[in-house]
Amino acid sequence: MKRLIQMILVGAGFTANIHTASAVFVVDDQVVSDPATFLGDPEFDSRTNQMVWQDALGDLWVADIDPATGDISPLDGKGTLVDSGLASIVGVGNGPEWTYGVQDAHIAYTRLINGTTRAIGIASMDGAGGWTTRILNDGFNRWRPEGTSPSNTSAARIAYIKGSGAGNQIAWRNIVDSTSETVATSGVDGARFVAGSSFLVSTAKVATVSQLQIIHEVTGQVTQITFGANHKYNPATFIAPEFNEPMITTMQNKTAVAVWRNVAGVWEKHHTINLPTSKGYVSSPEPFTYGGKSYVAVVAADALGVGNFPFQPAGDTEIWIAGIDPGQPFYRRIDDPSTNAQRSEPEVYEADFGPVVFYTETDPVAGTAIVRRADTGLGDTTGYDMPLYGGPWSVMHRDNRNSGSTPYEIPDAYVGHNLAFLKNVQINRPTMGPKGNIYIPYYDTNAGYARKFASLEAATGAVNYSHDSTVLLPDVTVAAGNLIDRNGDYYVSTEGAMNKLDSDGNLIWSTPIEGFTRSPQFTSTDKLIFLTWNGWVYVMEPSDGTILMGRTMTGWRDY
């Protein structure tokens, strides 16, 4: 695949856009909300294809997103009125946020009780496609909630500020268990969960410098993790597929984006992103991943500070995405460079054609706010140079290109059959059996994202069977790593177990393992061999699931 170097003319200067891609990037930046409606700071959920936002009257609205086009429906964002009486964003400092369990998504927000007391509200989808709302038990004098990420593999939780003035504390809890509330030993500015870990991250002034600190989710113990003279603001977290581990982004001195990685127990700066633009400040860095790589969506601005929001961009601004790999610089401006506007709050949504960035365009003079959608162009990126989810080290390849690609001849045409949308195609891979049937684990979008696996006829797409995987495989959080033996028996990994089922979907055995695998294979002596995402290698007896060897190769790492 050729490496293209594209030069984009912006204003009076040039900015380099270096990226491996299948086509030259063309800006696609469109208005997607009703210009007559003041619609600001929405939050997007790629799981349920919905958008949540709060209007100036304190009403909580949910609208649909079409994953095929990225369009908002209805255009004014007022699809379903979920709740009313929300506290002002200006006073609280944030609007409603999504929070995620293994398969469930909820909305957390700050309500105002009797016009004076703040409390946390929770909105949850019911089985009929509607919403139920409630005030959190023991939720009074708790506000500005932040939720767990879509990668969360346990119950949905929120972190928030506890208190009503002097003596505020950082606290967090399970959204259904008031007794689970834990309070940090120090800190007052709020916190966010570190994706894929048992920690939260926040900032605190040390002497005169804003530093990062992590908070142990069980004990509340606070540990400073950054040092030096540079200020760190507005931390956000993500799981980087390049390393299969949590990382943190921050604003550095309001002028750059810093990316942090835990190396052998010490948080180190992995990369500093200095945007190739004449704008001197950055705002709202939003990390995201796609195609096995990590990126940051961020605003470039001439100045920061709008009202009570010191980090909000002011004046004419730009929307950029950038890569986190210091060895392969990638910068791309994705908003329309032919127009000047005040742009803010980039939010990434994964459409069917690739990730897009929604952002708010504000006109302070006219008093309007609209939502625009800018395509990242990353959906065009493809090829064998794309890293696999979790890194190629954890995959046992069986073709001579070491690519994991099919060993069969590629046909000139395909016949498509639709079963259900695969929520994570990087993990949920189909496998063909010896009789031409296809086995596949998947999320059923027509049944509340129920975890299932099915057998299909490859020639016709007819469903032989489709089972609820939580019935046959209790406590399953993910199904991956399909393998078929010569008898048509089916081997599939779940979180913490390797399982064998017959061709009718009946469970034969289930053996506990560390983590889960994506690439089991048979040895030359017909034993089952596989690697797990967290560095274990196993050899098992296929007939009964006996572990013949189980050994960690990364014992120095804390997963």
PDB file of all heavy atoms in Angstrom, residues 94-122:
ATOM      1  N   ASN A  94     -21.162  20.843  33.375  1.00  0.00           N
ATOM      2  CA  ASN A  94     -21.247  19.753  32.412  1.00  0.00           C
ATOM      3  C   ASN A  94     -22.708  19.380  32.219  1.00  0.00           C
ATOM      4  O   ASN A  94     -23.552  19.623  33.089  1.00  0.00           O
ATOM      5  CB  ASN A  94     -20.457  18.532  32.897  1.00  0.00           C
ATOM      6  CG  ASN A  94     -20.086  17.592  31.766  1.00  0.00           C
ATOM      7  OD1 ASN A  94     -20.120  17.977  30.598  1.00  0.00           O
ATOM      8  ND2 ASN A  94     -19.737  16.364  32.091  1.00  0.00           N
ATOM      9  N   GLY A  95     -23.000  18.767  31.079  1.00  0.00           N
ATOM     10  CA  GLY A  95     -24.346  18.314  30.790  1.00  0.00           C
ATOM     11  C   GLY A  95     -24.498  16.829  31.038  1.00  0.00           C
ATOM     12  O   GLY A  95     -23.688  16.210  31.729  1.00  0.00           O
ATOM     13  N   PRO A  96     -25.542  16.212  30.482  1.00  0.00           N
ATOM     14  CA  PRO A  96     -25.766  14.775  30.675  1.00  0.00           C
ATOM     15  C   PRO A  96     -24.667  13.950  30.022  1.00  0.00           C
ATOM     16  O   PRO A  96     -24.086  14.346  29.010  1.00  0.00           O
ATOM     17  CB  PRO A  96     -27.123  14.539  30.006  1.00  0.00           C
ATOM     18  CG  PRO A  96     -27.272  15.665  29.028  1.00  0.00           C
ATOM     19  CD  PRO A  96     -26.583  16.834  29.639  1.00  0.00           C
ATOM     20  N   GLU A  97     -24.393  12.774  30.608  1.00  0.00           N
ATOM     21  CA  GLU A  97     -23.350  11.882  30.114  1.00  0.00           C
ATOM     22  C   GLU A  97     -23.883  10.451  30.042  1.00  0.00           C
ATOM     23  O   GLU A  97     -24.711  10.041  30.856  1.00  0.00           O
ATOM     24  CB  GLU A  97     -22.125  11.899  31.045  1.00  0.00           C
ATOM     25  CG  GLU A  97     -21.404  13.231  31.117  1.00  0.00           C
ATOM     26  CD  GLU A  97     -20.524  13.494  29.905  1.00  0.00           C
ATOM     27  OE1 GLU A  97     -20.321  12.555  29.105  1.00  0.00           O
ATOM     28  OE2 GLU A  97     -20.034  14.632  29.766  1.00  0.00           O
ATOM     29  N   TRP A  98     -23.375   9.681  29.077  1.00  0.00           N
ATOM     30  CA  TRP A  98     -23.678   8.256  29.007  1.00  0.00           C
ATOM     31  C   TRP A  98     -22.820   7.500  30.017  1.00  0.00           C
ATOM     32  O   TRP A  98     -21.680   7.885  30.295  1.00  0.00           O
ATOM     33  CB  TRP A  98     -23.385   7.710  27.606  1.00  0.00           C
ATOM     34  CG  TRP A  98     -24.268   8.261  26.532  1.00  0.00           C
ATOM     35  CD1 TRP A  98     -23.982   9.289  25.681  1.00  0.00           C
ATOM     36  CD2 TRP A  98     -25.580   7.817  26.187  1.00  0.00           C
ATOM     37  NE1 TRP A  98     -25.031   9.522  24.827  1.00  0.00           N
ATOM     38  CE2 TRP A  98     -26.031   8.627  25.111  1.00  0.00           C
ATOM     39  CE3 TRP A  98     -26.421   6.820  26.676  1.00  0.00           C
ATOM     40  CZ2 TRP A  98     -27.281   8.463  24.522  1.00  0.00           C
ATOM     41  CZ3 TRP A  98     -27.670   6.650  26.085  1.00  0.00           C
ATOM     42  CH2 TRP A  98     -28.092   7.468  25.025  1.00  0.00           C
ATOM     43  N   THR A  99     -23.366   6.417  30.558  1.00  0.00           N
ATOM     44  CA  THR A  99     -22.577   5.490  31.370  1.00  0.00           C
ATOM     45  C   THR A  99     -22.974   4.077  30.982  1.00  0.00           C
ATOM     46  O   THR A  99     -24.145   3.800  30.712  1.00  0.00           O
ATOM     47  CB  THR A  99     -22.765   5.733  32.877  1.00  0.00           C
ATOM     48  OG1 THR A  99     -21.897   4.849  33.605  1.00  0.00           O
ATOM     49  CG2 THR A  99     -24.202   5.509  33.329  1.00  0.00           C
ATOM     50  N   TYR A 100     -21.989   3.176  30.947  1.00  0.00           N
ATOM     51  CA  TYR A 100     -22.190   1.875  30.331  1.00  0.00           C
ATOM     52  C   TYR A 100     -21.905   0.727  31.288  1.00  0.00           C
ATOM     53  O   TYR A 100     -20.932   0.755  32.045  1.00  0.00           O
ATOM     54  CB  TYR A 100     -21.265   1.720  29.118  1.00  0.00           C
ATOM     55  CG  TYR A 100     -21.488   2.755  28.045  1.00  0.00           C
ATOM     56  CD1 TYR A 100     -20.785   3.957  28.064  1.00  0.00           C
ATOM     57  CD2 TYR A 100     -22.395   2.541  27.020  1.00  0.00           C
ATOM     58  CE1 TYR A 100     -20.985   4.918  27.081  1.00  0.00           C
ATOM     59  CE2 TYR A 100     -22.603   3.491  26.031  1.00  0.00           C
ATOM     60  CZ  TYR A 100     -21.896   4.673  26.066  1.00  0.00           C
ATOM     61  OH  TYR A 100     -22.096   5.622  25.098  1.00  0.00           O
ATOM     62  N   GLY A 101     -22.777  -0.303  31.220  1.00  0.00           N
ATOM     63  CA  GLY A 101     -22.483  -1.602  31.792  1.00  0.00           C
ATOM     64  C   GLY A 101     -22.012  -2.514  30.676  1.00  0.00           C
ATOM     65  O   GLY A 101     -21.620  -2.063  29.598  1.00  0.00           O
ATOM     66  N   VAL A 102     -22.068  -3.823  30.914  1.00  0.00           N
ATOM     67  CA  VAL A 102     -21.592  -4.761  29.903  1.00  0.00           C
ATOM     68  C   VAL A 102     -22.426  -4.651  28.630  1.00  0.00           C
ATOM     69  O   VAL A 102     -21.903  -4.585  27.524  1.00  0.00           O
ATOM     70  CB  VAL A 102     -21.630  -6.198  30.451  1.00  0.00           C
ATOM     71  CG1 VAL A 102     -21.232  -7.194  29.373  1.00  0.00           C
ATOM     72  CG2 VAL A 102     -20.702  -6.331  31.646  1.00  0.00           C
ATOM     73  N   GLN A 103     -23.745  -4.628  28.776  1.00  0.00           N
ATOM     74  CA  GLN A 103     -24.629  -4.547  27.620  1.00  0.00           C
ATOM     75  C   GLN A 103     -25.605  -3.378  27.702  1.00  0.00           C
ATOM     76  O   GLN A 103     -26.364  -3.158  26.766  1.00  0.00           O
ATOM     77  CB  GLN A 103     -25.437  -5.844  27.493  1.00  0.00           C
ATOM     78  CG  GLN A 103     -24.609  -7.061  27.138  1.00  0.00           C
ATOM     79  CD  GLN A 103     -24.023  -6.961  25.750  1.00  0.00           C
ATOM     80  OE1 GLN A 103     -24.651  -6.430  24.848  1.00  0.00           O
ATOM     81  NE2 GLN A 103     -22.819  -7.450  25.569  1.00  0.00           N
ATOM     82  N   ASP A 104     -25.620  -2.646  28.793  1.00  0.00           N
ATOM     83  CA  ASP A 104     -26.618  -1.612  29.016  1.00  0.00           C
ATOM     84  C   ASP A 104     -25.985  -0.227  28.966  1.00  0.00           C
ATOM     85  O   ASP A 104     -24.825  -0.040  29.304  1.00  0.00           O
ATOM     86  CB  ASP A 104     -27.321  -1.822  30.359  1.00  0.00           C
ATOM     87  CG  ASP A 104     -26.330  -2.051  31.495  1.00  0.00           C
ATOM     88  OD1 ASP A 104     -25.339  -2.761  31.277  1.00  0.00           O
ATOM     89  OD2 ASP A 104     -26.537  -1.513  32.597  1.00  0.00           O
ATOM     90  N   ALA A 105     -26.785   0.730  28.514  1.00  0.00           N
ATOM     91  CA  ALA A 105     -26.361   2.127  28.473  1.00  0.00           C
ATOM     92  C   ALA A 105     -27.393   2.970  29.219  1.00  0.00           C
ATOM     93  O   ALA A 105     -28.604   2.764  29.069  1.00  0.00           O
ATOM     94  CB  ALA A 105     -26.221   2.607  27.035  1.00  0.00           C
ATOM     95  N   HIS A 106     -26.928   3.905  30.027  1.00  0.00           N
ATOM     96  CA  HIS A 106     -27.789   4.779  30.819  1.00  0.00           C
ATOM     97  C   HIS A 106     -27.328   6.224  30.627  1.00  0.00           C
ATOM     98  O   HIS A 106     -26.237   6.480  30.111  1.00  0.00           O
ATOM     99  CB  HIS A 106     -27.718   4.417  32.308  1.00  0.00           C
ATOM    100  CG  HIS A 106     -27.915   2.963  32.595  1.00  0.00           C
ATOM    101  ND1 HIS A 106     -29.127   2.422  32.942  1.00  0.00           N
ATOM    102  CD2 HIS A 106     -27.030   1.922  32.567  1.00  0.00           C
ATOM    103  CE1 HIS A 106     -28.997   1.117  33.126  1.00  0.00           C
ATOM    104  NE2 HIS A 106     -27.739   0.788  32.905  1.00  0.00           N
ATOM    105  N   ILE A 107     -28.155   7.158  31.068  1.00  0.00           N
ATOM    106  CA  ILE A 107     -27.811   8.571  31.033  1.00  0.00           C
ATOM    107  C   ILE A 107     -27.760   9.078  32.470  1.00  0.00           C
ATOM    108  O   ILE A 107     -28.699   8.863  33.245  1.00  0.00           O
ATOM    109  CB  ILE A 107     -28.834   9.386  30.226  1.00  0.00           C
ATOM    110  CG1 ILE A 107     -28.944   8.845  28.795  1.00  0.00           C
ATOM    111  CG2 ILE A 107     -28.446  10.859  30.199  1.00  0.00           C
ATOM    112  CD1 ILE A 107     -30.116   9.421  28.021  1.00  0.00           C
ATOM    113  N   ALA A 108     -26.670   9.732  32.831  1.00  0.00           N
ATOM    114  CA  ALA A 108     -26.516  10.325  34.162  1.00  0.00           C
ATOM    115  C   ALA A 108     -26.464  11.842  34.010  1.00  0.00           C
ATOM    116  O   ALA A 108     -25.816  12.361  33.099  1.00  0.00           O
ATOM    117  CB  ALA A 108     -25.252   9.808  34.843  1.00  0.00           C
ATOM    118  N   TYR A 109     -27.138  12.561  34.918  1.00  0.00           N
ATOM    119  CA  TYR A 109     -27.234  14.009  34.786  1.00  0.00           C
ATOM    120  C   TYR A 109     -27.524  14.621  36.151  1.00  0.00           C
ATOM    121  O   TYR A 109     -27.818  13.915  37.127  1.00  0.00           O
ATOM    122  CB  TYR A 109     -28.331  14.389  33.787  1.00  0.00           C
ATOM    123  CG  TYR A 109     -29.662  13.703  34.034  1.00  0.00           C
ATOM    124  CD1 TYR A 109     -30.677  14.325  34.754  1.00  0.00           C
ATOM    125  CD2 TYR A 109     -29.894  12.415  33.561  1.00  0.00           C
ATOM    126  CE1 TYR A 109     -31.889  13.695  34.984  1.00  0.00           C
ATOM    127  CE2 TYR A 109     -31.100  11.772  33.782  1.00  0.00           C
ATOM    128  CZ  TYR A 109     -32.098  12.411  34.495  1.00  0.00           C
ATOM    129  OH  TYR A 109     -33.292  11.778  34.734  1.00  0.00           O
ATOM    130  N   THR A 110     -27.440  15.941  36.229  1.00  0.00           N
ATOM    131  CA  THR A 110     -27.685  16.647  37.484  1.00  0.00           C
ATOM    132  C   THR A 110     -29.074  17.269  37.469  1.00  0.00           C
ATOM    133  O   THR A 110     -29.379  18.102  36.606  1.00  0.00           O
ATOM    134  CB  THR A 110     -26.630  17.744  37.714  1.00  0.00           C
ATOM    135  OG1 THR A 110     -25.322  17.164  37.665  1.00  0.00           O
ATOM    136  CG2 THR A 110     -26.831  18.403  39.065  1.00  0.00           C
ATOM    137  N   ARG A 111     -29.916  16.838  38.396  1.00  0.00           N
ATOM    138  CA  ARG A 111     -31.252  17.413  38.568  1.00  0.00           C
ATOM    139  C   ARG A 111     -31.201  18.512  39.623  1.00  0.00           C
ATOM    140  O   ARG A 111     -30.305  18.561  40.468  1.00  0.00           O
ATOM    141  CB  ARG A 111     -32.233  16.329  39.029  1.00  0.00           C
ATOM    142  CG  ARG A 111     -32.790  15.452  37.929  1.00  0.00           C
ATOM    143  CD  ARG A 111     -33.893  16.141  37.140  1.00  0.00           C
ATOM    144  NE  ARG A 111     -34.938  16.656  37.999  1.00  0.00           N
ATOM    145  CZ  ARG A 111     -36.015  15.965  38.390  1.00  0.00           C
ATOM    146  NH1 ARG A 111     -36.181  14.714  37.991  1.00  0.00           N
ATOM    147  NH2 ARG A 111     -36.924  16.508  39.168  1.00  0.00           N
ATOM    148  N   LEU A 112     -32.184  19.382  39.572  1.00  0.00           N
ATOM    149  CA  LEU A 112     -32.325  20.430  40.580  1.00  0.00           C
ATOM    150  C   LEU A 112     -33.633  20.187  41.316  1.00  0.00           C
ATOM    151  O   LEU A 112     -34.713  20.197  40.717  1.00  0.00           O
ATOM    152  CB  LEU A 112     -32.314  21.809  39.920  1.00  0.00           C
ATOM    153  CG  LEU A 112     -31.937  22.998  40.803  1.00  0.00           C
ATOM    154  CD1 LEU A 112     -30.538  22.816  41.379  1.00  0.00           C
ATOM    155  CD2 LEU A 112     -32.016  24.292  40.012  1.00  0.00           C
ATOM    156  N   ILE A 113     -33.547  19.925  42.629  1.00  0.00           N
ATOM    157  CA  ILE A 113     -34.713  19.600  43.443  1.00  0.00           C
ATOM    158  C   ILE A 113     -35.161  20.850  44.206  1.00  0.00           C
ATOM    159  O   ILE A 113     -34.357  21.488  44.890  1.00  0.00           O
ATOM    160  CB  ILE A 113     -34.396  18.462  44.430  1.00  0.00           C
ATOM    161  CG1 ILE A 113     -33.788  17.265  43.682  1.00  0.00           C
ATOM    162  CG2 ILE A 113     -35.647  18.051  45.190  1.00  0.00           C
ATOM    163  CD1 ILE A 113     -34.680  16.676  42.617  1.00  0.00           C
ATOM    164  N   ASN A 114     -36.444  21.183  44.061  1.00  0.00           N
ATOM    165  CA  ASN A 114     -37.013  22.369  44.722  1.00  0.00           C
ATOM    166  C   ASN A 114     -36.254  23.646  44.378  1.00  0.00           C
ATOM    167  O   ASN A 114     -36.214  24.595  45.163  1.00  0.00           O
ATOM    168  CB  ASN A 114     -37.049  22.181  46.244  1.00  0.00           C
ATOM    169  CG  ASN A 114     -37.946  21.034  46.667  1.00  0.00           C
ATOM    170  OD1 ASN A 114     -38.976  20.783  46.032  1.00  0.00           O
ATOM    171  ND2 ASN A 114     -37.553  20.322  47.712  1.00  0.00           N
ATOM    172  N   GLY A 115     -35.628  23.630  43.212  1.00  0.00           N
ATOM    173  CA  GLY A 115     -34.962  24.831  42.726  1.00  0.00           C
ATOM    174  C   GLY A 115     -33.636  25.146  43.370  1.00  0.00           C
ATOM    175  O   GLY A 115     -32.990  26.127  42.997  1.00  0.00           O
ATOM    176  N   THR A 116     -33.193  24.333  44.347  1.00  0.00           N
ATOM    177  CA  THR A 116     -31.960  24.682  45.062  1.00  0.00           C
ATOM    178  C   THR A 116     -30.992  23.520  45.236  1.00  0.00           C
ATOM    179  O   THR A 116     -29.782  23.712  45.176  1.00  0.00           O
ATOM    180  CB  THR A 116     -32.300  25.226  46.465  1.00  0.00           C
ATOM    181  OG1 THR A 116     -33.068  24.242  47.177  1.00  0.00           O
ATOM    182  CG2 THR A 116     -33.094  26.527  46.365  1.00  0.00           C
ATOM    183  N   THR A 117     -31.492  22.314  45.469  1.00  0.00           N
ATOM    184  CA  THR A 117     -30.630  21.180  45.825  1.00  0.00           C
ATOM    185  C   THR A 117     -30.295  20.350  44.597  1.00  0.00           C
ATOM    186  O   THR A 117     -31.187  19.915  43.858  1.00  0.00           O
ATOM    187  CB  THR A 117     -31.312  20.275  46.871  1.00  0.00           C
ATOM    188  OG1 THR A 117     -31.642  21.057  48.018  1.00  0.00           O
ATOM    189  CG2 THR A 117     -30.386  19.136  47.276  1.00  0.00           C
ATOM    190  N   ARG A 118     -29.014  20.114  44.391  1.00  0.00           N
ATOM    191  CA  ARG A 118     -28.580  19.278  43.280  1.00  0.00           C
ATOM    192  C   ARG A 118     -28.684  17.800  43.657  1.00  0.00           C
ATOM    193  O   ARG A 118     -28.421  17.415  44.795  1.00  0.00           O
ATOM    194  CB  ARG A 118     -27.139  19.602  42.894  1.00  0.00           C
ATOM    195  CG  ARG A 118     -26.964  20.990  42.284  1.00  0.00           C
ATOM    196  CD  ARG A 118     -25.501  21.332  42.147  1.00  0.00           C
ATOM    197  NE  ARG A 118     -25.293  22.621  41.497  1.00  0.00           N
ATOM    198  CZ  ARG A 118     -24.130  23.246  41.433  1.00  0.00           C
ATOM    199  NH1 ARG A 118     -23.051  22.698  41.987  1.00  0.00           N
ATOM    200  NH2 ARG A 118     -24.026  24.412  40.822  1.00  0.00           N
ATOM    201  N   ALA A 119     -29.040  16.989  42.679  1.00  0.00           N
ATOM    202  CA  ALA A 119     -29.113  15.539  42.873  1.00  0.00           C
ATOM    203  C   ALA A 119     -28.841  14.873  41.537  1.00  0.00           C
ATOM    204  O   ALA A 119     -29.063  15.462  40.472  1.00  0.00           O
ATOM    205  CB  ALA A 119     -30.474  15.121  43.415  1.00  0.00           C
ATOM    206  N   ILE A 120     -28.370  13.639  41.580  1.00  0.00           N
ATOM    207  CA  ILE A 120     -28.050  12.921  40.348  1.00  0.00           C
ATOM    208  C   ILE A 120     -29.270  12.149  39.865  1.00  0.00           C
ATOM    209  O   ILE A 120     -29.891  11.397  40.625  1.00  0.00           O
ATOM    210  CB  ILE A 120     -26.860  11.968  40.556  1.00  0.00           C
ATOM    211  CG1 ILE A 120     -25.586  12.789  40.775  1.00  0.00           C
ATOM    212  CG2 ILE A 120     -26.690  11.032  39.361  1.00  0.00           C
ATOM    213  CD1 ILE A 120     -24.352  11.963  41.017  1.00  0.00           C
ATOM    214  N   GLY A 121     -29.623  12.359  38.601  1.00  0.00           N
ATOM    215  CA  GLY A 121     -30.687  11.609  37.963  1.00  0.00           C
ATOM    216  C   GLY A 121     -30.113  10.544  37.050  1.00  0.00           C
ATOM    217  O   GLY A 121     -29.043  10.720  36.463  1.00  0.00           O
ATOM    218  N   ILE A 122     -30.830   9.427  36.934  1.00  0.00           N
ATOM    219  CA  ILE A 122     -30.436   8.331  36.054  1.00  0.00           C
ATOM    220  C   ILE A 122     -31.611   8.007  35.139  1.00  0.00           C
ATOM    221  O   ILE A 122     -32.739   7.817  35.609  1.00  0.00           O
ATOM    222  CB  ILE A 122     -30.044   7.064  36.843  1.00  0.00           C
ATOM    223  CG1 ILE A 122     -28.843   7.336  37.742  1.00  0.00           C
ATOM    224  CG2 ILE A 122     -29.752   5.905  35.889  1.00  0.00           C
ATOM    225  CD1 ILE A 122     -27.538   7.562  37.010  1.00  0.00           C
TER     226      ILE A 122
END
